Amino acid sequence: DAGVTQSPTHLIKTRGQHVTLRCSPISGHKSVSWYQQVLGQGPQFIFQYYEKEERGRGNFPDRFSARQFPNYSSELNVNALLLGDSALYLCASSPTRQGSGYGYTFGSGTRLTVV
Amino acid sequence: GQNIDQPTEMTATEGAIVQINCTYQTSGFNGLFWYQQHAGEAPTFLSYNVLDGLEEKGRFSSFLSRSKGYSYLLLKELQMKDSASYLCAVDHFEGGSYIPTFGRGTSLIVHP
């Protein structure tokens, strides 16, 4: 079975540009969450979507937005990129709204570099 | 806000036992997770505790005390491949949403 897939794996963008990251959850998983992980730190929660509705939002500026499609895949959009947005962006899926005993299954991430 | 504290780095010997502690302060507690993350890879789920006590899964065990805001991950019979970062994450319910907050991770180095 395919795990959580993310695309692209690596990306280089210029300051001020816009970026779209994509995530396909495990089949049957209805919850998708997005995280930003800076080197040496734990993942920081950005958004959670469940059944195509935003169910949680972390402490990130409005430049960050996301959506979930009818097939439960998701996109994370970041506008007006800053150097500080350089990080590993992780997507995680879960069969339920909360991780509980299943935990969250993470994809391999998109490494974004802003220059 | 949420506050999660875990040691930055630990070292241990192959075959030994190591305990990685995690303390947290949160409201609306809804469970605590442990994840393993090898360098350059995604985190992988190890355990989930929502009630007090010990959960055992093979070589790995996780303990939770909600009244003390404390958890630990116990790794037995350490192997070289256990060298990784171990992330403690607390799930809390806030404003109608389940929000997971991760600690900075504990880098475990296993040496021969």
Side-chain angles (χ1 to χ4, degrees):
Chain A
D1 285 341
V4 178
T5 57
Q6 292 187 244
S7 62
T9 54
H10 294 83
L11 201 53
I12 299 176
K13 288 285 191 177
T14 305
R15 274 179 299 174
Q17 284 189 314
H18 162 271
V19 68
T20 297
L21 310 181
R22 295 179 175 83
C23 171
S24 292
I26 290 173
S27 177
H29 284 197
K30 298 180 179 180
S31 170
V32 171
S33 300
W34 287 95
Y35 297 82
Q36 180 194 69
Q37 187 173 27
V38 175
L39 194 62
Q41 310 243 350
Q44 191 169 359
F45 175 73
I46 308 175
F47 287 110
Q48 185 199 36
Y49 277 77
Y50 179 73
E51 288 285 18
K52 291 150 280 184
E53 290 187 15
E54 183 184 301
R55 300 292 186 151
R57 174 186 284 254
N59 189 25
F60 279 80
D62 291 343
R63 299 185 295 109
F64 288 76
S65 63
R67 54 180 176 167
Q68 187 177 35
F69 298 99
N71 66 354
Y72 301 110
S73 67
S74 178
E75 282 182 356
L76 175 70
N77 295 285
V78 187
N79 292 324
L81 284 167
L82 303 174
L83 295 178
D85 295 331
S86 295
L88 179 67
Y89 288 85
L90 294 164
C91 171
S93 75
S94 173
T96 61
R97 184 178 166 188
Q98 58 189 98
S100 67
Y102 303 102
Y104 299 94
T105 303
F106 284 84
S108 297
T110 295
R111 173 71 62 187
L112 173 65
T113 302
V114 182
V115 297
Chain B
Q2 321 304 313
N3 189 38
I4 299 175
D5 194 31
Q6 51 183 131
T8 303
E9 187 174 295
M10 299 182 71
T11 59
T13 305
E14 193 175 14
I17 299 173
V18 71
Q19 178 175 312
I20 303 174
N21 296 324
C22 172
T23 58
Y24 64 89
Q25 294 174 308
T26 188
S27 55
F29 178 82
N30 192 59
L32 185 144
F33 300 89
W34 283 95
Y35 286 84
Q36 180 192 61
Q37 186 175 28
H38 285 100
E41 297 183 12
T44 55
F45 171 68
L46 291 177
S47 67
Y48 172 74
N49 295 70
V50 66
L51 299 176
D52 291 352
L54 188 68
E55 295 280 342
E56 297 187 77
K57 272 187 183 182
R59 294 190 299 115
F60 292 9
S61 302
S62 57
F63 172 83
L64 175 68
S65 169
R66 288 172 298 170
S67 62
K68 294 181 180 178
Y70 168 69
S71 173
Y72 68 72
L73 180 69
L74 193 71
L75 292 76
K76 304 175 187 174
E77 301 168 15
L78 280 172
Q79 302 174 9
M80 299 296 289
K81 67 178 183 179
D82 296 330
S83 293
S85 180
Y86 291 85
L87 300 161
C88 171
V90 173
D91 218 24
H92 68 276
F93 192 70
E94 178 183 328
S97 302
Y98 294 99
I99 309 289
T101 301
F102 282 78
R104 294 181 144 208
T106 297
S107 178
L108 174 66
I109 300 167
V110 180
H111 54 83

